[in-house]
Amino acid sequence: MVGAAAFGAIDSVLVRALAGSVHPFVMGFTRALFGLLIVLPWIIARPDILRSSFRFRHALRAGLKLASLLAFFVAFTTAPLADVTAIAFTSPIFVTIGAWIFLGERPRRLRIIAVLLGFIGVLIVLSPGRQAGISSGLAFALLGALLTALIQLILKPMSGRDSTETLVAWNLIAMVPIAALPAAMVWTTPTLTEWLILALQGVVGAGAMGCITRAFYFAEASLIVPVDFVRLPLVAAMGYFFFAQVAPITTWIGAAVIFAAIVLMARSARAAARMQP
């Protein structure tokens, strides 16, 4: 999971480096394309992993994944990297709320406290009183977090019947044609340097996906999800080194509050697991 956090930090820097020269639609398409090319030999070697009962849901999930990527691309290009990363950590909070509403999970007192704490952390990061309203970049980051949570809610019942390999393969296969249409509408051929960065972005995205998959194989989600917070200091350091961005104290305080909320959720998940027969 630390590896996935490192890949995520690198990805945010690559997106920022391409800001203004490559359209987010093009970035979404090339990321999916290069990611698919990386895993294609693995799919060819094991064609049985494409067997699935959720063809429509795979397409829906791929479309939502593309939308979440585009939202974060816009956020990373228009707002400070550390602020966007802190907001991205709210996805588990939205997943918990969605599970109560759509999956019929019973709200537990500790998780209710965690959700409230998480939203306090979001308000601290957004600091609406510090400026006139909320910046569009951070609004897109919040939208990306909401879409990521929706994807996870759709994925939860699918993971009971499809393997992780099947879910990863179909996500990339479906995303390439979905992303191709909007990319074609704004297409301008990237330069050689931009092609290299876009290819690296695809490699980084596939690497992050692989690390997360292995992390969930070796340990339970309640243990490894909080580890993703390693990404924040990595992003903050890279943002300072490459773009001279200095994260304000409100970002760190808000992120710490959000982290505390995620830890509470993890403790609640473990407690619930121990109570099950």
Side-chain angles (χ1 to χ4, degrees):
M1 199 61 182
V2 173
F7 279 128
I10 295 171
D11 189 26
S12 65
V13 172
L14 295 177
V15 172
R16 186 76 179 201
L18 293 169
S21 58
V22 179
H23 196 281
F25 287 172
V26 177
M27 278 193 276
F29 170 68
T30 55
R31 180 191 178 100
L33 178 62
F34 284 115
L36 178 59
L37 291 176
I38 290 169
V39 302
L40 192 58
W42 169 53
I43 296 174
I44 294 174
R46 297 183 54 194
D48 57 297
I49 66 174
L50 296 181
R51 295 174 184 169
S52 174
S53 304
F54 301 107
R55 298 298 173 87
F56 172 75
R57 292 192 191 181
H58 285 304
L60 175 62
R61 187 168 64 96
L64 291 172
K65 178 65 175 179
L66 176 63
S68 69
L69 284 176
L70 293 175
F72 280 121
F73 287 166
V74 174
F76 279 126
T77 58
T78 57
L81 300 183
D83 286 4
V84 175
T85 302
I87 295 298
F89 290 140
T90 58
S91 286
I93 298 171
F94 292 124
V95 170
T96 298
I97 297 173
W100 295 342
I101 298 173
F102 300 111
L103 301 182
E105 293 188 6
R106 183 167 59 91
R108 298 178 181 274
R109 184 174 62 180
L110 198 59
R111 293 193 183 185
I112 294 174
I113 295 173
V115 167
L116 295 175
L117 193 62
F119 280 114
I120 291 173
V122 171
L123 290 175
I124 295 173
V125 174
L126 295 177
S127 301
R130 189 179 59 188
Q131 53 189 349
I134 299 172
S135 72
S136 60
L138 294 185
F140 272 104
L142 201 58
L143 175 61
L146 279 166
L147 290 171
T148 300
L150 181 57
I151 293 166
Q152 293 177 2
L153 290 170
I154 294 174
L155 188 61
K156 187 172 182 179
M158 294 174 67
S159 61
R161 297 179 61 181
D162 282 2
S163 67
T164 301
E165 293 83 359
T166 300
L167 295 171
V168 171
W170 272 113
N171 185 67
L172 291 171
I173 291 172
M175 194 185 301
V176 170
I178 293 174
L181 181 59
M185 296 172 62
V186 298
W187 182 265
T188 55
T189 303
T191 65
L192 177 60
T193 300
E194 290 166 353
W195 272 122
L196 292 174
I197 296 176
L198 290 169
L200 179 59
Q201 190 184 33
V203 173
V204 167
M209 190 179 299
C211 284
I212 291 173
T213 301
R214 296 302 292 171
F216 277 94
Y217 173 79
F218 284 117
E220 59 186 22
S222 61
L223 174 64
I224 63 177
V225 167
V227 179
D228 190 35
F229 272 83
V230 174
R231 184 159 37 115
L232 181 59
L234 292 176
V235 168
M238 291 182 181
Y240 177 77
F241 182 79
F242 291 105
F243 310 109
Q245 294 182 355
V246 179
I249 188 64
T250 51
T251 299
W252 295 104
I253 295 174
V257 174
I258 295 171
F259 176 74
I262 302 301
V263 171
L264 281 178
M265 288 182 180
R267 290 188 59 183
S268 175
R270 289 186 179 183
R274 286 195 298 267
M275 292 175 62
Q276 292 178 355

